[in-house]
Short mmCIF file of all heavy atoms in Angstrom, two decimals:
data_model
loop_
_atom_site.label_atom_id
_atom_site.label_comp_id
_atom_site.label_asym_id
_atom_site.label_seq_id
_atom_site.Cartn_x
_atom_site.Cartn_y
_atom_site.Cartn_z
N LEU A 1 -12.73 -5.20 -27.04
CA LEU A 1 -12.13 -5.49 -28.33
C LEU A 1 -12.42 -4.39 -29.33
O LEU A 1 -11.52 -4.00 -30.11
CB LEU A 1 -12.71 -6.83 -28.86
CG LEU A 1 -12.05 -7.39 -30.03
CD1 LEU A 1 -10.59 -7.73 -29.71
CD2 LEU A 1 -12.79 -8.66 -30.53
N ILE A 2 -13.58 -3.80 -29.24
CA ILE A 2 -13.93 -2.66 -30.20
C ILE A 2 -13.04 -1.48 -29.99
O ILE A 2 -12.45 -0.96 -30.91
CB ILE A 2 -15.47 -2.36 -30.11
CG1 ILE A 2 -16.25 -3.61 -30.65
CG2 ILE A 2 -15.76 -1.11 -30.89
CD1 ILE A 2 -17.69 -3.48 -30.40
N PRO A 3 -12.90 -0.92 -28.76
CA PRO A 3 -12.00 0.26 -28.59
C PRO A 3 -10.57 -0.12 -28.89
O PRO A 3 -9.83 0.73 -29.42
CB PRO A 3 -12.14 0.60 -27.09
CG PRO A 3 -13.45 0.04 -26.64
CD PRO A 3 -13.69 -1.23 -27.51
N LEU A 4 -10.12 -1.34 -28.63
CA LEU A 4 -8.80 -1.76 -28.97
C LEU A 4 -8.57 -1.75 -30.48
O LEU A 4 -7.54 -1.29 -30.96
CB LEU A 4 -8.49 -3.14 -28.40
CG LEU A 4 -7.05 -3.69 -28.59
CD1 LEU A 4 -6.10 -2.79 -27.83
CD2 LEU A 4 -6.98 -5.11 -28.13
N ALA A 5 -9.54 -2.25 -31.26
CA ALA A 5 -9.41 -2.20 -32.67
C ALA A 5 -9.41 -0.78 -33.26
O ALA A 5 -8.66 -0.48 -34.16
CB ALA A 5 -10.57 -2.98 -33.29
N VAL A 6 -10.24 0.11 -32.65
CA VAL A 6 -10.24 1.48 -33.06
C VAL A 6 -8.91 2.14 -32.79
O VAL A 6 -8.37 2.89 -33.61
CB VAL A 6 -11.46 2.25 -32.38
CG1 VAL A 6 -11.31 3.75 -32.59
CG2 VAL A 6 -12.76 1.77 -32.93
N ALA A 7 -8.38 1.91 -31.60
CA ALA A 7 -7.10 2.52 -31.21
C ALA A 7 -5.96 1.99 -32.15
O ALA A 7 -5.08 2.75 -32.56
CB ALA A 7 -6.73 2.20 -29.77
N TYR A 8 -6.01 0.68 -32.49
CA TYR A 8 -4.97 0.15 -33.36
C TYR A 8 -5.08 0.77 -34.74
O TYR A 8 -4.11 1.12 -35.33
CB TYR A 8 -5.17 -1.38 -33.45
CG TYR A 8 -4.23 -2.03 -34.47
CD1 TYR A 8 -2.89 -2.20 -34.13
CD2 TYR A 8 -4.62 -2.38 -35.73
CE1 TYR A 8 -1.98 -2.78 -35.03
CE2 TYR A 8 -3.76 -2.94 -36.66
CZ TYR A 8 -2.41 -3.11 -36.28
OH TYR A 8 -1.58 -3.68 -37.19
N GLY A 9 -6.33 0.98 -35.22
CA GLY A 9 -6.54 1.62 -36.54
C GLY A 9 -6.04 3.05 -36.53
O GLY A 9 -5.45 3.54 -37.49
N ALA A 10 -6.28 3.78 -35.39
CA ALA A 10 -5.79 5.15 -35.33
C ALA A 10 -4.27 5.18 -35.32
O ALA A 10 -3.70 6.05 -36.01
CB ALA A 10 -6.38 5.81 -34.04
N VAL A 11 -3.62 4.33 -34.60
CA VAL A 11 -2.18 4.33 -34.56
C VAL A 11 -1.63 3.94 -35.94
O VAL A 11 -0.66 4.57 -36.42
CB VAL A 11 -1.67 3.32 -33.50
CG1 VAL A 11 -0.15 3.14 -33.57
CG2 VAL A 11 -1.94 3.93 -32.10
N TRP A 12 -2.17 3.00 -36.59
CA TRP A 12 -1.73 2.60 -37.95
C TRP A 12 -1.91 3.71 -38.91
O TRP A 12 -1.06 3.96 -39.76
CB TRP A 12 -2.51 1.33 -38.36
CG TRP A 12 -2.14 0.84 -39.70
CD1 TRP A 12 -1.04 0.09 -40.05
CD2 TRP A 12 -2.87 1.06 -40.89
NE1 TRP A 12 -1.05 -0.17 -41.39
CE2 TRP A 12 -2.17 0.42 -41.94
CE3 TRP A 12 -4.04 1.73 -41.22
CZ2 TRP A 12 -2.57 0.44 -43.29
CZ3 TRP A 12 -4.48 1.74 -42.54
CH2 TRP A 12 -3.75 1.13 -43.55
N GLY A 13 -3.06 4.36 -38.84
CA GLY A 13 -3.33 5.50 -39.74
C GLY A 13 -2.34 6.66 -39.53
O GLY A 13 -1.88 7.24 -40.51
N MET A 14 -2.07 6.96 -38.29
CA MET A 14 -1.10 8.04 -38.02
C MET A 14 0.26 7.67 -38.50
O MET A 14 1.04 8.55 -38.94
CB MET A 14 -1.09 8.37 -36.50
CG MET A 14 -2.31 9.08 -36.04
SD MET A 14 -2.65 10.59 -36.89
CE MET A 14 -1.27 11.59 -36.43
N HIS A 15 0.62 6.38 -38.38
CA HIS A 15 1.93 5.95 -38.90
C HIS A 15 1.99 6.14 -40.40
O HIS A 15 3.03 6.61 -40.94
CB HIS A 15 2.18 4.47 -38.56
CG HIS A 15 3.44 3.91 -39.05
ND1 HIS A 15 4.61 4.28 -38.49
CD2 HIS A 15 3.72 3.03 -40.02
CE1 HIS A 15 5.65 3.63 -39.09
NE2 HIS A 15 5.10 2.91 -40.06
N LYS A 16 0.98 5.82 -41.14
CA LYS A 16 0.94 6.01 -42.57
C LYS A 16 0.95 7.50 -42.93
O LYS A 16 1.71 7.92 -43.83
CB LYS A 16 -0.28 5.39 -43.22
CG LYS A 16 -0.35 3.89 -43.16
CD LYS A 16 0.73 3.36 -44.13
CE LYS A 16 0.68 1.85 -44.13
NZ LYS A 16 1.76 1.32 -44.95
N VAL A 17 0.22 8.30 -42.23
CA VAL A 17 0.21 9.73 -42.50
C VAL A 17 1.59 10.37 -42.23
O VAL A 17 2.06 11.19 -42.98
CB VAL A 17 -0.89 10.44 -41.62
CG1 VAL A 17 -0.75 11.95 -41.65
CG2 VAL A 17 -2.30 10.05 -42.15
N LEU A 18 2.23 9.92 -41.17
CA LEU A 18 3.55 10.47 -40.82
C LEU A 18 4.59 10.09 -41.90
O LEU A 18 5.42 10.89 -42.32
CB LEU A 18 4.03 9.95 -39.49
CG LEU A 18 5.38 10.45 -38.96
CD1 LEU A 18 5.34 11.93 -38.79
CD2 LEU A 18 5.71 9.75 -37.65
N GLY A 19 4.47 8.82 -42.42
CA GLY A 19 5.38 8.45 -43.50
C GLY A 19 5.20 9.25 -44.74
O GLY A 19 6.16 9.66 -45.40
N ARG A 20 3.96 9.52 -45.15
CA ARG A 20 3.70 10.33 -46.30
C ARG A 20 4.09 11.77 -46.11
O ARG A 20 4.54 12.42 -47.01
CB ARG A 20 2.22 10.22 -46.72
CG ARG A 20 1.86 8.96 -47.36
CD ARG A 20 0.49 9.06 -47.99
NE ARG A 20 0.21 7.75 -48.61
CZ ARG A 20 -0.96 7.47 -49.12
NH1 ARG A 20 -1.94 8.36 -49.03
NH2 ARG A 20 -1.17 6.33 -49.68
N THR A 21 3.90 12.26 -44.91
CA THR A 21 4.25 13.63 -44.61
C THR A 21 5.73 13.83 -44.72
O THR A 21 6.23 14.87 -45.23
CB THR A 21 3.79 14.03 -43.17
OG1 THR A 21 2.38 13.83 -43.10
CG2 THR A 21 4.09 15.50 -42.89
N ARG A 22 6.52 12.89 -44.23
CA ARG A 22 8.01 12.99 -44.33
C ARG A 22 8.43 13.10 -45.75
O ARG A 22 9.24 13.97 -46.10
CB ARG A 22 8.66 11.82 -43.63
CG ARG A 22 8.66 11.94 -42.14
CD ARG A 22 9.42 10.76 -41.54
NE ARG A 22 9.32 10.89 -40.08
CZ ARG A 22 9.45 9.87 -39.25
NH1 ARG A 22 9.66 8.70 -39.72
NH2 ARG A 22 9.36 10.07 -37.96
N THR A 23 7.90 12.24 -46.63
CA THR A 23 8.35 12.22 -48.04
C THR A 23 7.87 13.50 -48.70
O THR A 23 8.62 14.09 -49.53
CB THR A 23 7.85 10.98 -48.79
OG1 THR A 23 6.43 10.94 -48.71
CG2 THR A 23 8.48 9.73 -48.25
N THR A 24 6.62 13.97 -48.39
CA THR A 24 6.15 15.17 -48.99
C THR A 24 6.96 16.35 -48.57
O THR A 24 7.25 17.27 -49.36
CB THR A 24 4.66 15.34 -48.62
OG1 THR A 24 3.93 14.22 -49.00
CG2 THR A 24 4.08 16.56 -49.33
N MET A 25 7.31 16.44 -47.25
CA MET A 25 8.08 17.60 -46.75
C MET A 25 9.47 17.60 -47.37
O MET A 25 10.02 18.72 -47.60
CB MET A 25 8.09 17.56 -45.23
CG MET A 25 6.85 17.96 -44.59
SD MET A 25 6.41 19.64 -45.07
CE MET A 25 4.66 19.63 -44.76
N LEU A 26 10.06 16.46 -47.57
CA LEU A 26 11.39 16.42 -48.18
C LEU A 26 11.34 16.95 -49.62
O LEU A 26 12.23 17.72 -50.02
CB LEU A 26 11.98 15.00 -48.09
CG LEU A 26 12.41 14.56 -46.78
CD1 LEU A 26 12.88 13.09 -46.87
CD2 LEU A 26 13.58 15.40 -46.23
N SER A 27 10.35 16.55 -50.35
CA SER A 27 10.25 17.06 -51.73
C SER A 27 9.92 18.57 -51.72
O SER A 27 10.45 19.32 -52.52
CB SER A 27 9.24 16.25 -52.56
OG SER A 27 7.97 16.44 -52.05
N ALA A 28 9.06 18.95 -50.80
CA ALA A 28 8.72 20.37 -50.70
C ALA A 28 9.97 21.24 -50.30
O ALA A 28 10.15 22.32 -50.81
CB ALA A 28 7.56 20.64 -49.75
N GLN A 29 10.77 20.63 -49.45
CA GLN A 29 11.97 21.35 -49.04
C GLN A 29 12.97 21.48 -50.17
O GLN A 29 13.58 22.61 -50.36
CB GLN A 29 12.64 20.62 -47.84
CG GLN A 29 13.81 21.32 -47.30
CD GLN A 29 14.46 20.51 -46.11
OE1 GLN A 29 14.12 19.33 -45.94
NE2 GLN A 29 15.28 21.12 -45.36
N SER A 30 13.07 20.50 -50.98
CA SER A 30 14.02 20.63 -52.13
C SER A 30 13.52 21.65 -53.17
O SER A 30 14.28 22.42 -53.68
CB SER A 30 14.24 19.24 -52.79
OG SER A 30 13.07 18.82 -53.45
N ILE A 31 12.23 21.65 -53.41
CA ILE A 31 11.61 22.65 -54.33
C ILE A 31 11.79 24.06 -53.77
O ILE A 31 12.14 24.96 -54.48
CB ILE A 31 10.13 22.30 -54.59
CG1 ILE A 31 10.04 21.01 -55.40
CG2 ILE A 31 9.46 23.42 -55.29
CD1 ILE A 31 8.63 20.48 -55.54
N SER A 32 11.55 24.22 -52.49
CA SER A 32 11.77 25.48 -51.85
C SER A 32 13.17 25.95 -51.90
O SER A 32 13.45 27.16 -52.18
CB SER A 32 11.30 25.44 -50.39
OG SER A 32 11.56 26.62 -49.72
N SER A 33 14.12 25.04 -51.72
CA SER A 33 15.54 25.45 -51.91
C SER A 33 15.88 25.89 -53.29
O SER A 33 16.61 26.85 -53.45
CB SER A 33 16.37 24.24 -51.47
OG SER A 33 17.75 24.51 -51.69
N LYS A 34 15.34 25.17 -54.25
CA LYS A 34 15.62 25.54 -55.66
C LYS A 34 15.00 26.90 -55.99
O LYS A 34 15.61 27.77 -56.67
CB LYS A 34 15.01 24.52 -56.60
CG LYS A 34 15.79 23.23 -56.67
CD LYS A 34 15.11 22.26 -57.58
CE LYS A 34 15.76 20.89 -57.48
NZ LYS A 34 15.07 19.85 -58.28
N VAL A 35 13.81 27.17 -55.49
CA VAL A 35 13.14 28.48 -55.70
C VAL A 35 13.93 29.57 -55.01
O VAL A 35 14.15 30.67 -55.64
CB VAL A 35 11.69 28.45 -55.15
CG1 VAL A 35 11.10 29.84 -55.13
CG2 VAL A 35 10.79 27.54 -56.03
N ARG A 36 14.40 29.32 -53.81
CA ARG A 36 15.18 30.37 -53.08
C ARG A 36 16.48 30.66 -53.85
O ARG A 36 16.83 31.84 -54.00
CB ARG A 36 15.51 29.90 -51.68
CG ARG A 36 16.15 30.97 -50.84
CD ARG A 36 16.48 30.48 -49.44
NE ARG A 36 17.54 29.47 -49.54
CZ ARG A 36 17.41 28.19 -49.04
NH1 ARG A 36 16.28 27.87 -48.46
NH2 ARG A 36 18.40 27.36 -49.17
N SER A 37 17.18 29.62 -54.31
CA SER A 37 18.47 29.92 -54.94
C SER A 37 18.23 30.63 -56.31
O SER A 37 19.03 31.49 -56.67
CB SER A 37 19.25 28.60 -55.12
OG SER A 37 18.53 27.75 -56.00
N THR A 38 17.19 30.25 -57.06
CA THR A 38 16.91 30.90 -58.30
C THR A 38 16.52 32.36 -58.05
O THR A 38 16.96 33.27 -58.79
CB THR A 38 15.75 30.15 -59.02
OG1 THR A 38 16.10 28.82 -59.18
CG2 THR A 38 15.49 30.79 -60.38
N THR A 39 15.73 32.63 -56.96
CA THR A 39 15.30 33.97 -56.71
C THR A 39 16.53 34.86 -56.27
O THR A 39 16.65 36.00 -56.72
CB THR A 39 14.32 33.96 -55.51
OG1 THR A 39 13.24 33.17 -55.84
CG2 THR A 39 13.82 35.35 -55.20
N VAL A 40 17.45 34.28 -55.55
CA VAL A 40 18.65 35.03 -55.14
C VAL A 40 19.48 35.34 -56.36
O VAL A 40 20.01 36.45 -56.52
CB VAL A 40 19.46 34.25 -54.10
CG1 VAL A 40 20.84 34.79 -53.91
CG2 VAL A 40 18.73 34.25 -52.74
N ALA A 41 19.64 34.38 -57.24
CA ALA A 41 20.47 34.58 -58.46
C ALA A 41 19.87 35.67 -59.35
O ALA A 41 20.59 36.61 -59.81
CB ALA A 41 20.60 33.26 -59.30
#
């Protein structure tokens, strides 16, 4: 039961981290695109 609970917590934590990473990367990508277009202009 103890290793099963630890494994469940690890999977749940990775799911949360992946969700936050996706939203963070999308906002970082939009900021990077704005910086690139401004630099080119």
